[in-house]
Amino acid sequence: MLSRDVPSLLIIFVLTMPQPLRKERFICVIKMLFNLQFTQALAALSTKLSSEERQAWVTSGILKKSARNSEKSFEALLSHVISELSKDKSVYKVNREETTMPSSSVWSPQSIEFSLQQFCLPFLRLSCLLQHHLYGDNLTGCLEEEEFSTLAVCLGLLPSAPQPPSAVHSASCLEWPCNAFDLVIQWCEEVTGLSHMLPEQSLSLLVHDPQWAAPRLLRLPDNYNIIFQYYHRKACTACKKVPKDPALCLVCGAFVCLKGVCCKHQGTCECVLHSQHCGAATGIFLLINASVIIIIRGHRFCLWGSVYLDAHGEEDRDLRRGKPLFLCEERYQVLEQQWVSHTFDHINKRWGPHYNGL
């Protein structure tokens, strides 16, 4: 459980629960998954501490365990996570020499609180966005330092935003359905059980980064001649012949035959087939012998233009003039943005049927 992607679990639960999903049930799922996300944050944080720091937090956390509301104290829970994971010495022993440990002054209660909030923010952002689309709740803007508390209030994890925002404690959002310390023991036992067999992999699963990069198209060289020389005599991987009209998928980099009868499958040419497999019927292809890009959308296609221009900023379609062509970053960014935002249908007007012949 500590190596699960919590935002993915949320989407799976929402899609598999009986519909329509009542909001109070959605909030209940959010609260339970936040417990898991917070525990993952504690486990990942514990791997960044030195052995002396871990021992210090274990000692200080033991005193917190006996206090009231200890299940909502990050000190008590951090102490408990470290104690449980330390039962297998290999969990913290792997890569100990390679990891650069910060000094003890860095990991103050304030810096730990900040680290925990940053770890949980991607889950809160996605949850809030999902709640907006499901129930129409407003998405309110806020300052960067107020983001955690604002999202927590929107999702019902906090009754109201504390003032000042720096006074918020992420552990106060926890709401355990059973004994928190017993549940954490179960989750940590899964990690220690795995570390007996695969110690390095078990540690790397704990220290995952919840940040994700946005989708992007293939990175292209500045000079078009590099692409042309590499691909114009290249054999197709399917039919092993040099295609008359070679094309390059700008999403995955696949080399395909445009209008190639040799690669037809059940009456459908290769570019159309590839667009179905690669982009759910949306394909972006660079035609090697023409330097232009075509877009395939379902049963239609259109000529988008070229992202390679000559020294005067002009296209050379079909390479008739033989001028050196160079990548226009602005055009390529426009193409990428249209792909990411699904706006091909609205922006490009000259569509026509391809009859599965591309």
Side-chain angles (χ1 to χ4, degrees):
M1 292 302 294
L2 293 184
S3 59
R4 288 272 193 169
D5 181 54
V6 183
S8 298
L9 286 177
L10 172 61
I11 294 173
I12 291 170
F13 285 147
V14 169
L15 292 176
T16 54
M17 291 178 73
Q19 302 295 328
L21 181 60
R22 291 163 57 184
K23 187 175 180 180
E24 52 266 32
R25 293 182 177 176
F26 176 79
I27 295 298
C28 179
V29 172
I30 295 292
K31 290 179 177 179
M32 296 306 102
L33 288 178
F34 181 79
N35 298 335
L36 175 60
Q37 184 75 84
F38 188 82
T39 308
Q40 287 184 357
L42 293 173
L45 175 68
S46 71
T47 63
K48 301 176 183 179
L49 304 175
S50 66
S51 57
E52 293 79 11
E53 287 172 321
R54 282 196 290 270
Q55 186 56 49
W57 280 105
V58 167
T59 304
S60 63
I62 290 175
L63 302 174
K64 297 277 188 179
K65 273 188 185 181
S66 57
R68 188 182 176 186
N69 287 333
S70 60
E71 294 183 339
K72 291 193 173 189
S73 164
F74 88 76
E75 293 94 339
L77 291 168
L78 178 60
S79 167
H80 191 62
V81 167
I82 295 173
S83 297
E84 291 302 315
L85 292 179
S86 296
K87 289 181 178 179
D88 182 2
K89 295 180 180 179
S90 63
V91 172
Y92 291 125
K93 190 176 181 181
V94 176
N95 293 338
R96 182 178 58 187
E97 296 178 359
E98 300 176 11
T99 307
T100 304
M101 298 296 180
S103 63
S104 58
S105 60
V106 173
W107 292 110
S108 63
Q110 291 76 22
S111 61
I112 285 184
E113 176 61 39
F114 177 78
S115 177
L116 295 175
Q117 291 186 19
Q118 292 300 307
F119 195 98
C120 296
L121 268 177
F123 169 71
L124 296 183
R125 290 169 184 153
L126 183 138
S127 302
C128 219
L129 185 62
L130 198 55
Q131 181 176 264
H132 165 71
H133 287 299
L134 290 174
Y135 307 105
D137 292 24
N138 291 329
L139 293 174
T140 56
C142 63
L143 299 174
E144 186 176 355
E145 59 269 19
E146 298 174 357
E147 185 179 11
F148 184 90
S149 58
T150 302
L151 294 178
V153 170
C154 287
L155 294 168
L157 299 176
L158 287 176
S160 60
Q163 295 297 332
S166 58
V168 66
H169 297 288
S170 52
S172 61
C173 300
L174 297 169
E175 192 170 319
W176 300 93
C178 58
N179 185 281
F181 299 105
D182 292 341
L183 194 56
V184 170
I185 288 175
Q186 293 181 31
W187 292 342
C188 291
E189 283 178 347
E190 295 175 348
V191 176
T192 55
L194 177 65
S195 64
H196 285 301
M197 302 175 289
L198 305 165
E200 292 187 9
Q201 289 85 339
S202 65
L203 181 68
S204 65
L205 288 173
L206 281 181
V207 194
H208 65 83
D209 186 355
Q211 304 298 321
W212 296 89
R216 58 189 300 184
L217 295 177
L218 209 62
R219 297 300 96 189
L220 297 176
D222 289 332
N223 194 323
Y224 188 73
N225 191 51
I226 296 174
I227 294 180
F228 184 78
Q229 294 297 334
Y230 184 81
Y231 284 109
H232 88 289
R233 299 300 298 169
K234 184 179 174 67
C236 173
T237 54
C239 63
K240 309 303 180 185
K241 299 177 182 177
V242 176
K244 181 180 178 182
D245 293 304
L248 178 69
C249 174
L250 295 181
V251 176
C252 69
F255 182 68
V256 291
C257 296
L258 179 74
K259 304 178 184 177
V261 179
C262 52
C263 293
K264 260 190 177 181
H265 181 70
Q266 296 181 348
T268 304
C269 287
E270 191 176 15
C271 278
V272 177
L273 282 173
H274 183 78
S275 70
Q276 295 169 357
H277 298 150
C278 177
T282 296
I284 308 173
F285 299 94
L286 172 63
L287 307 189
I288 303 300
N289 293 338
S291 79
V292 297
I293 289 169
I294 64 166
I295 310 294
I296 293 177
R297 286 277 292 149
H299 297 290
R300 303 172 302 152
F301 84 102
C302 78
L303 284 173
W304 190 89
S306 179
V307 294
Y308 280 93
L309 308 176
D310 63 17
H312 301 288
E314 296 178 350
E315 297 181 4
D316 184 12
R317 296 194 179 188
D318 300 324
L319 306 179
R320 291 173 181 172
R321 292 185 288 120
K323 299 283 187 179
L325 300 176
F326 303 96
L327 180 66
C328 176
E329 288 288 354
E330 292 78 10
R331 283 198 178 197
Y332 202 45
Q333 288 173 10
V334 169
L335 174 68
E336 189 173 70
Q337 181 57 33
Q338 290 179 9
W339 170 64
V340 169
S341 58
H342 304 279
T343 53
F344 283 135
D345 289 341
H346 308 291
I347 295 173
N348 305 300
K349 303 300 181 183
R350 296 182 180 179
W351 293 93
H354 54 64
Y355 303 112
N356 296 328
L358 294 179

